[in-house]
Amino acid sequence: MAAFVMAAAAQGGGNGGQTLLIIVGLLLLGYIASLYLHPYSRCGRCKGSPRQYGAVYTKSWRHCGRCGGSGRETRLGARILGIGD
């Protein structure tokens, strides 16, 4: 990608706005591709460990309420685009 940007800038006399638009477009396409490849991230509440242990009875546990015991949650961009669950 860097070689493409350098080649576009080396043409000379080009508009800087066009180059910026190309860079932003490539970054956006890369982000969308990463959402399709990896739509899930680690759960923010249980940190990927789907068990939540009790405060009084420390050997008892329940599944995390946010992720339902899977240890993962859908990334924001994937939720917006409807990718994943």
Side-chain angles (χ1 to χ4, degrees), residues 28 31-36 38-41 73-84:
L28 183 63
Y31 177 69
I32 291 172
S34 77
L35 289 175
Y36 276 101
H38 307 287
Y40 302 106
S41 65
E73 60 186 359
T74 309
R75 292 168 57 188
L76 177 63
R79 280 194 305 260
I80 291 171
L81 295 176
I83 304 168

Side-chain angles (χ1 to χ4, degrees), residues 47-85:
K47 306 288 189 256
S49 174
R51 294 182 179 180
Q52 290 184 338
Y53 292 93
V56 177
Y57 299 105
T58 57
K59 292 189 180 190
S60 64
W61 59 272
R62 63 180 171 86
H63 289 294
C64 174
R66 177 184 275 178
C67 65
S70 68
R72 63 185 187 171
E73 60 186 359
T74 309
R75 292 168 57 188
L76 177 63
R79 280 194 305 260
I80 291 171
L81 295 176
I83 304 168
D85 290 0

Side-chain angles (χ1 to χ4, degrees), residues 2-47:
F4 177 74
V5 173
M6 290 176 141
Q11 289 179 354
N15 190 357
Q18 290 176 346
T19 305
L20 180 63
L21 187 61
I22 291 171
I23 292 171
V24 170
L26 289 173
L27 289 174
L28 183 63
L29 286 175
Y31 177 69
I32 291 172
S34 77
L35 289 175
Y36 276 101
L37 293 173
H38 307 287
Y40 302 106
S41 65
R42 187 175 65 167
C43 177
R45 182 176 291 166
C46 67
K47 306 288 189 256

